[in-house]
Amino acid sequence: MDRFIGDLSSHTHQLKERSLPFGGVTLCYAPNHAHIDSDILRCDRYLRVHWRNFLKALRSFDDYCEQRASDDNDGDELRMEETWWLMKIELRKDLRDILEPVLATRRNLRSLILDRNEFGRDGVLFLCNIIETNSYLKEVSLFNNPVKDIGDLTRLCDAVSKHPSLEDLTLGNIGLDDDEGKLSIILKASKNLKCLGLSGNCIGSRSAAAMFAKFLTANDNTTTMFLRDNDFSDESAYLFALALRNNKRLRLVDLRGNLFTQLGRVTVLNTLFDPSSLTAVVESNHTCVVYIDESNFDELGAINRKGFQEENMHRKLFSALYATTPGGRLGRLLNDIPLGLMPDLLAYLQDFYLDDIPRGMRKHAMESLHQHALDDFDEAFSRQTTFTVVFETLRNWNLPLLYTNI
């Protein structure tokens, strides 16, 4: 508690000195993640005194900014965009009653994150009131605070769907537990959001995956989804792959911590990089970053680099040619290449080096082609050199086929 009170007192002091803590208010009972599962901080009479001092200093700071703004000075410049992160802090009614009017009216509040607050149903309604009143919010996150009543969830989602500026909603580990009725309410309310997080909710049934796939396929707005630790299986992998293939607006999908085997993993990643043919490579999704395996998080993120669509495609083309075996698949891969493109292809191959290809991309190319996991994929991949690939390209290119229609 001493450390928490120190942080709260530090915020109070900064406000009295006419400066808001940089980035907003971060109050966490367990800032060291090694103690993330420790008990939450109970709100006793002693702690409430520090809260009141903090909020009093905050109101004084706001009055000061208003006065500076009315004097045509820099009052608005003192108001940085704020994030309030209240983690592992018990939000009892007496504390909620003094926080709610502050959070509901802060014009520069952009993000509100509530994590492990043990506030029950009344706490959910507390959050609903803030969302309904504060039209400036951009992000709302609710972690580890169960929403058991479907009526409360409906009101929360209704507030989200009607909000004029909200872009990011996270409902992590709120206890959905394969309740497809609740999931339907959330997805219906999230059509205008840019980011939706529903990790840790045990919603891994095939029908739930189908609902997500339909949402992602038909939604023009959502670009980011966090669906970690939801017990999705290989059966669901095909549905996510279908959504990734049909929606090129997606930028990030996090599927780590689910129950995918090697088959499910390759099924999903083939939508980002299908090395079966050059046409399949080009038609792959080059815009979305997908995380599906905790053990090689960085490798998989490298299959598509955010904001480098054309470069992603080029690397995949080169990797597909490198991953083929001399004298075999490479010839079939090149038979449909028009004659006029071959000089460009050869020049293109000579401009790339093996080190240009991210390890995760190389690994997926080899495993997709061999249909199983490869422990020695680096060795198999490195047997090819740029000269070898150029030579094999020329040797296996079926020149007579190019003239059959002349």
Side-chain angles (χ1 to χ4, degrees), residues 215-234:
F215 174 81
L216 290 173
T217 300
N219 197 315
D220 292 330
N221 299 306
T222 304
T223 60
T224 303
M225 288 202 74
F226 294 93
L227 298 171
R228 300 182 59 174
D229 304 311
N230 276 313
D231 297 335
F232 291 119
S233 64
D234 287 350

Side-chain angles (χ1 to χ4, degrees), residues 9 44 48 52 62 100-101 108 121 134 143 157 160 167 214 232 257 274 304 324 332 351 364:
S9 299
D44 58 16
R48 286 197 296 274
R52 289 193 178 96
D62 288 342
E100 183 178 319
N108 50 331
R121 183 181 183 188
N134 192 325
F143 293 101
C157 290
V160 168
E167 298 177 347
K214 182 178 179 180
F232 291 119
D274 182 353
N304 277 337
T324 55
R332 297 192 300 274
D351 287 338
H364 173 67

